[in-house]
Amino acid sequence: MATEVLVPVLGESITEATVGEWLKQPGDKVAADEPIASLETDKVSVEVPSPVAGVMGEHAVKVGDTVQVGALLATVDAGGAATAAPTPAPQPAVTETPAAAPASAAAALSPSVRRAVLEHGVDPSTVTGTGKDGRLTKEDVAAAASSKPAAAAAPAPAATPAAAPSAGGRKEERVKMTRLRQTIARRLKEAQNTAAMLTTFNDVDMSAVIAARAKYKDLFEKKHGVRLGFMGFFVKAATMALKDVPAVNASIEGDEIVYHDYADISVAVSAPNGLVVPVIRDAQNLSVAGIEKTIGDFGKRAKDGTLKMDEMKGGTFTISNGGVFGSLMSTPIINPPQSAVLGLHRIEERPVVVDGQIVVRPMMYLAVSYDHRLIDGREAVTFLVALKNAIEDPTRILIDL
């Protein structure tokens, strides 16, 4: 008996998604609650589990298709493990296996892995996947390409004539934007069109925080089970500065200003399909250790694709750390309906004047972009100076000064 697999409820106000990847192909054995497909929503990838154990039936939609909540994705033949397997077994099909295997394997690849396969000219059916449930990753493809013997490059031209009609080897590739990337593009443009956005800068001497981290990082990790990073200091310092300058933590709804007596800090985290922004709830009540634990958990689950929708909703203020990628200075864009965002950048030694003497200190540029409709320049600068003071003298964080 065939059981229908429908697009599940994806979260409040989310009505559709894009089919990102098929994790099971027709004829594959499927266990109850085993993921069979991955859907890309506006914010995260969601895996769809099989409601029953059996054999994967036909796919009702293709990778890249947009599907509505409640729509049919596929069918699963409950208890039919022995019926689907014989279908591809006839002997005459043996001669077609070399061509058919890559086609079926390619159908199950994510867009990024599919691009890597094309770039490296690797047959995905010959590569063992190390990802979740044996899925192929970009690293698997790169490793297979680097280990290919020189002689193995000969068969590749057979598959590439269509991609290399030009003698100069110039190629173009068109890849449909993921749903997440489309949403990021739309929201960032909306922010530019709606907010009266302005950015103010300052720099901060990281000497004290670096010294504290060096002194206590081993004890910190031993006690709390998580590494002591810089984000814990910045998030805690930001919550204190937001308390001093509540306008930076506010938002505009219609003709009203909404002030929040809590600090839900959105933190940009890298995920396979781009940046996601989970929210640290009530960060003002957390210790530096609690903040670091929360961020570490977000980072791990972002890479695994297991962040939940509710964990990325809301947020009253955002911190984005472009410094981990080497950024020296930037003007971050507000994440609506928030009214401000803090941009952190790389730490580098620079000459500065201290007590009339030129000394070398580890410095970082800070940038706060804000909605000038709500936040005055004085308030933005006051917030940034309060943050700078707390980072340069971390004792302020301990005594709430």
Side-chain angles (χ1 to χ4, degrees), residues 10-233:
L10 301 168
E12 183 182 352
S13 77
I14 299 177
T15 60
E16 62 182 21
T18 301
V19 180
E21 183 178 359
W22 280 108
L23 308 179
K24 292 292 182 179
Q25 299 302 313
D28 289 351
K29 289 185 179 181
V30 179
D33 296 324
E34 183 179 8
I36 62 171
S38 174
L39 302 179
E40 294 179 354
T41 69
D42 289 356
K43 297 182 177 180
V44 290
S45 293
V46 178
E47 291 186 338
V48 180
S50 172
V52 296
V55 170
M56 189 70 191
E58 292 300 317
H59 298 162
V61 290
K62 302 187 297 294
V63 171
D65 285 354
T66 298
V67 291
Q68 302 290 323
V69 171
L72 177 65
L73 278 177
T75 58
V76 175
D77 296 323
T83 58
T87 305
Q91 287 294 50
V94 172
T95 57
E96 298 182 50
T97 301
S104 62
L109 302 179
S110 66
S112 60
V113 175
R114 195 177 305 119
R115 178 185 297 181
V117 167
L118 292 173
E119 289 176 351
H120 294 291
V122 172
D123 181 351
S125 66
T126 64
V127 183
T128 301
T130 61
K132 186 177 180 181
D133 297 327
R135 280 181 252 165
L136 213 59
T137 66
K138 290 188 293 183
E139 291 74 17
D140 295 333
V141 175
S146 62
S147 64
K148 280 197 307 182
T160 54
S166 167
R170 289 157 54 92
K171 295 187 294 184
E172 291 183 352
E173 180 186 3
R174 293 180 181 270
V175 178
K176 185 177 180 180
M177 292 175 69
T178 64
R179 191 164 198 84
L180 176 62
R181 177 52 58 186
Q182 292 179 47
T183 302
I184 291 172
R186 187 186 72 249
R187 286 176 59 82
L188 293 183
K189 190 57 185 173
E190 285 175 357
Q192 286 185 319
N193 293 340
T194 303
M197 198 153 54
L198 189 64
T199 303
T200 187
F201 299 91
N202 211 321
D203 61 0
V204 58
D205 185 345
M206 296 292 292
S207 298
V209 167
I210 290 174
R213 183 170 179 263
K215 184 175 181 180
Y216 297 112
K217 65 179 180 179
D218 293 337
L219 288 173
F220 185 91
E221 185 169 2
K222 182 177 180 180
K223 179 176 181 177
H224 300 291
V226 65
R227 294 179 60 190
L228 176 60
F230 296 123
M231 282 298 288
F233 290 99

Side-chain angles (χ1 to χ4, degrees), residues 198-204 206 231 234 238 248 265-268 317-324 327-335 338 340-347 363-370 380 383-384 387-388 391:
L198 189 64
T199 303
T200 187
F201 299 91
N202 211 321
D203 61 0
V204 58
M206 296 292 292
M231 282 298 288
F234 276 104
V248 181
I265 307 297
S266 304
V267 181
F317 182 78
T318 294
I319 300 179
S320 179
N321 186 8
V324 297
S327 173
L328 176 64
M329 186 180 292
S330 67
T331 55
I333 299 179
I334 298 168
N335 181 23
Q338 299 173 21
V341 54
L342 171 67
L344 308 181
H345 302 90
R346 77 170 185 251
I347 302 170
M363 304 297 293
M364 175 195 288
Y365 286 116
L366 304 177
V368 169
S369 292
Y370 59 98
F383 166 83
L384 204 51
L387 183 75
K388 170 186 170 74
I391 294 298

